[in-house]
Amino acid sequence: MKKYDIDTPALLIDSAALHRNLDRMQRVAEGFGVRLRPHTKTHKSPHIARLQVEMGASGVTVAKVGEAEVMAEAGLDDILIANQVIGATKLRRLAALARHARIAVLVDSSEGIELLDAAFREAETGIDVLIEVDTGKGRCGLTDLEQIVALAEQVARAETLRLRGVETHEGHVPGGAHSEGQLEERATSAGRRLVEVADALRDRGHVVEDVSVGSTPAAPYTAVTPGVTEMRPGTYVFNDVNQMSIGQATPEDCALSVLATVISRPAPDRAVLDAGSKSLFAEPARRAFAYTDYDGFGYMRQAPAARIVTLNEEHGVVRIPPGTEFPAIGQQVEVIPNHVCPAVNLHEEFYLVDGEDVVEVWPIAARGKVR
Ligand SMILES: Cc1ncc(COP(=O)(O)O)c(C=O)c1O
């Protein structure tokens, strides 16, 4: 099968670009002397997770218990759920999972620790936890050292829990960044803060094995601080327009595109694609210091100067600048999503392509696993 025989909209992965991206990040981690535990929320595919482990990753990261179940079922046996897991049903599933694989989970509250310990006492099993530290993102996680110490002490007292380490997601690093220097400064300060917290816990007698950071835009910088032990980037497998906006990717580094068909050319300056918000995900691209003349809902490889200006559910409306060539009705275009992770979650399978040839079709087995 050739890629232009694929019915659209569909997700294409350029096999060579995927392998380059996997290899590059593995080497970044090895250069820093830290373990790579990639976040699989970007691809939601055990096929790619297995490739990551074969290339040297120490395990995988997921956001949800449902994603962990899919990965464990596929044989991935070292999984960090980098999230707070709250709720009786989820905790029962978590305890069942922890019998079959090496699982760890985050905590950031006394209530969360109590619920987790109670569920695991009931299930008569145990689990490792990492304390989530907020290094600037302002999502979950604690900033105050005394509160973090109190949680570590509570974990130490809990019958079924073992403190494995501390964790942060320095996802705030690229937001509105105006230079590479600023990315570096924010990322290194997040890394330093997490190591400081780990050392403070050790000073109080706790064993802290894992000092875990993670974010693709910050990946070249955060783990520079001695004491960081693990990094968890996710987006790097595919890259996207957001990565282009901070100068960390070119279109050639973007391994994934949404293949779409031109279905209408109602005016010389307008074309319509069969891919809308249900295929591309309607998120504006990040505004940052590189690639600043871009505004649109995806970068079209065959027409970089044209812009997808409007997304309806099943229509992408393209504005074509005067004098610009654009594919005709029935022809296909490859669109790099602004934010690749939620776009992937909208689809059922990946078409892996080598040049023009489709070489494999991989199910996106953990898509929609939001519980
Ligand atoms: C907890 C956590 N770790 C790691 C990552 C990976 O970040 P990125 O997608 O920038 O690679 C994310 C992304 O959302 C995350 O939430």
Side-chain angles (χ1 to χ4, degrees):
M1 192 188 199
K2 297 288 177 194
K3 73 176 172 186
Y4 295 109
D5 297 327
I6 299 170
D7 197 7
T8 62
L11 293 187
L12 298 183
I13 298 178
D14 179 307
S15 175
L18 171 70
H19 282 85
R20 276 199 307 275
N21 293 345
L22 295 178
D23 180 58
R24 195 180 301 141
M25 193 59 82
Q26 186 61 46
R27 281 190 284 114
V28 168
E30 284 166 14
F32 282 131
V34 303
R35 291 185 293 275
L36 180 65
R37 182 187 283 281
H39 205 311
T40 59
K41 52 122 203 178
T42 303
H43 55 70
K44 289 179 167 265
S45 154
H47 283 84
I48 299 179
R50 273 197 293 264
L51 273 180
Q52 289 171 313
V53 169
E54 277 162 27
M55 290 174 82
S58 63
V60 295
T61 305
V62 300
K64 292 296 178 89
V65 177
E67 293 173 339
E69 287 166 342
V70 170
M71 293 298 161
E73 176 76 16
L76 292 139
D77 58 3
D78 188 340
I79 303 171
L80 169 64
I81 304 177
N83 207 344
Q84 305 296 320
V85 177
I86 304 288
T89 308
K90 284 190 186 67
L91 288 170
R92 274 196 295 276
R93 286 162 55 210
L94 182 65
L97 200 56
R99 292 182 191 283
H100 302 292
R102 181 174 189 256
I103 307 278
V105 71
L106 305 185
V107 292
D108 76 347
S109 70
S110 174
E111 296 88 329
I113 292 172
E114 268 171 36
L115 292 168
L116 190 62
D117 186 37
F120 275 73
R121 268 187 282 136
E122 165 121 28
E124 298 179 357
T125 182
I127 189 163
D128 283 1
V129 301
L130 288 82
I131 297 177
E132 183 165 7
V133 178
D134 180 7
T135 53
K137 185 164 170 67
R139 194 171 68 181
C140 296
L142 298 176
T143 51
D144 179 72
L145 187 58
E146 288 319 308
Q147 283 182 312
I148 294 170
V149 169
L151 287 196
E153 280 161 10
Q154 190 186 348
V155 170
R157 288 191 304 270
E159 203 181 301
T160 64
L161 310 183
R162 186 185 79 102
L163 182 68
R164 190 196 287 180
V166 289
E167 185 271 2
T168 197
H169 167 48
E170 69 279 30
H172 60 290
V173 164
H178 53 66
S179 67
E180 219 178 291
Q182 196 178 34
L183 295 180
E184 179 167 8
E185 184 201 306
R186 290 177 183 169
T188 48
S189 119
R192 278 198 303 271
R193 174 64 185 152
L194 195 65
V195 170
E196 229 171 68
V197 168
D199 287 342
L201 291 178
R202 289 185 187 114
D203 288 347
R204 289 159 173 83
H206 298 284
V207 177
V208 180
E209 283 165 29
D210 287 0
V211 180
S212 177
V213 301
S215 144
T216 297
Y221 316 110
T222 319
V224 78
T225 304
V228 172
T229 65
E230 167 177 286
M231 57 197 282
R232 312 177 316 276
T235 302
Y236 77 97
V237 281
F238 296 143
N239 287 311
D240 54 18
V241 176
N242 282 344
Q243 278 294 100
M244 288 162 61
S245 79
I246 49 169
Q248 288 186 358
T250 63
E252 291 67 43
D253 300 319
C254 292
L256 181 133
S257 30
V258 178
L259 187 68
T261 300
V262 179
I263 57 167
S264 177
R265 291 288 312 262
D269 65 345
R270 189 173 359 130
V272 183
L273 308 179
D274 65 351
S277 60
K278 286 181 172 168
S279 305
L280 286 166
F281 197 74
E283 184 174 309
R286 177 186 295 140
R287 298 228 161 252
F289 54 89
Y291 195 41
T292 48
D293 65 342
Y294 174 86
D295 60 339
F297 288 105
Y299 173 100
M300 288 172 284
R301 292 188 197 272
Q302 287 78 3
R307 291 285 179 267
I308 303 174
V309 287
T310 308
L311 286 186
N312 292 164
E313 289 175 51
E314 302 295 1
H315 298 82
V317 180
V318 179
R319 191 182 58 226
I320 306 165
T324 310
E325 297 267 315
F326 195 82
I329 290 177
Q331 293 187 325
Q332 294 174 331
V333 290
E334 294 167 38
V335 187
I336 301 171
N338 286 348
H339 185 182
V340 72
C341 315
V344 165
N345 188 50
L346 299 171
H347 294 259
E348 285 177 349
E349 67 262 309
F350 294 121
Y351 291 84
L352 187 73
V353 297
D354 179 4
E356 300 287 288
D357 297 320
V358 176
V359 289
E360 271 182 76
V361 181
W362 290 337
I364 304 172
R367 73 166 291 225
K369 300 291 182 195
V370 292
R371 290 187 178 146

